[in-house]
Amino acid sequence: MSLLGATAGIYVLFTGHHALGTTSEIPWGVLISTYVFFVVSSTGLCLVSSLGHVFGFKTFDPIAKRAIFFALVTLLIGFGVIATELERPFRLALMAVISPNFSAPIWWMGALYGLYMVLISAELFFLIKEDHRRARIVGAIGVIAAIAAHSNLGAVFGLLHARPFWYGPLMPIYFIASALVCGAAILMLIVYFTDYFGNNKQLRDENQNLLQSLGKLLALFVGIVIFFTIWKIIVGIS
């Protein structure tokens, strides 16, 4: 499956994303939604894991290293997907540096996510080294960068006048709420499957409270997203 995926990615990279059915009238396709899913997951993993080593909720401390590791992995996957979709990613990287357009939300999205990637890489390094003081400082800055980058991603959609259903000033908040849903859900899966395969299919005692807390957070975040979704639909059909 990995070989097939890599082959398809290389093919699209050299032939253009039109291979996936996009046109001048429909410029965004499945790769955009795939990119959004992975960066949403990365942001959510970072935000939820920060409850432990950044904000002092000790229940979440055991998951910090794995959460930040997966936050970095999902972000890099997202970058790989968007690079494939852009058709000329190396030209984009060059022009973004030598000719930046500060009025473009997409430029800010790239810049902020680049900063976010550096910060969570440093945070993971300090967590592995058990340097919790520096990990807390870098993690706090990383949370700010994650919120800024992801809310800006929401603004990329929220500023699209041509797509009324997505247009609106609340889209950045909606994207943050969606990120928290993904982060809590993925961490629940990580905790469960880690113990399932590594502890004779039984949940470790120290992870009982962690899993319950993640479940409560997930329920809260899902409720917030449902609230936003209902009102978005009501406004859309009115």
Side-chain angles (χ1 to χ4, degrees), residues 26-202:
I26 307 177
W28 286 3
V30 67
L31 290 179
I32 291 294
S33 61
T34 306
Y35 160 74
V36 170
F37 169 76
F38 281 110
V39 296
V40 163
S41 300
S42 175
T43 305
L45 287 165
C46 173
L47 294 178
V48 176
S49 69
S50 68
L51 294 174
H53 62 286
V54 174
F55 296 104
F57 294 92
K58 300 300 182 183
T59 304
F60 299 92
D61 279 345
I63 200 68
K65 293 179 185 178
R66 285 172 288 176
I68 296 301
F69 171 75
F70 279 104
L72 181 60
V73 169
T74 50
L75 180 64
L76 292 175
I77 294 174
F79 280 166
V81 170
I82 198 64
T84 304
E85 205 280 337
L86 289 172
E87 187 177 353
R88 296 289 187 272
F90 304 110
R91 182 182 299 175
L92 169 68
L94 176 63
M95 297 305 295
V97 174
I98 65 175
S99 182
N101 182 3
F102 298 114
S103 63
I106 290 181
W107 184 89
W108 283 104
M109 180 184 68
L112 290 171
Y113 267 117
L115 174 62
Y116 165 68
M117 180 182 67
V118 173
L119 289 170
I120 62 174
S121 299
E123 183 179 0
L124 178 61
F125 173 79
F126 290 130
L127 285 172
I128 293 174
K129 292 293 185 180
E130 300 293 336
D131 189 342
H132 297 290
R133 184 182 67 84
R134 292 181 179 177
R136 185 180 301 109
I137 295 173
V138 176
I141 302 173
V143 168
I144 297 173
I147 294 175
H150 200 59
S151 60
N152 186 84
L153 175 61
V156 171
F157 290 86
L159 295 174
L160 286 177
H161 297 267
R163 296 289 183 269
F165 185 75
W166 289 99
Y167 174 70
L170 294 180
M171 287 306 298
I173 303 175
Y174 177 79
F175 265 60
I176 294 295
S178 300
L180 293 169
V181 169
C182 290
I186 292 173
L187 285 178
M188 289 183 68
L189 292 174
I190 291 173
V191 172
Y192 178 79
F193 284 114
T194 299
D195 285 356
Y196 183 86
F197 292 108
N199 193 44
N200 295 323
K201 302 181 180 180
Q202 294 182 353

Side-chain angles (χ1 to χ4, degrees), residues 189-222:
L189 292 174
I190 291 173
V191 172
Y192 178 79
F193 284 114
T194 299
D195 285 356
Y196 183 86
F197 292 108
N199 193 44
N200 295 323
K201 302 181 180 180
Q202 294 182 353
L203 191 66
R204 292 181 173 89
D205 293 336
E206 60 269 22
N207 286 335
Q208 294 282 353
N209 290 333
L210 173 60
L211 200 60
Q212 292 178 4
S213 298
L214 288 172
K216 293 176 182 178
L217 287 178
L218 179 60
L220 172 63
F221 300 147
V222 168

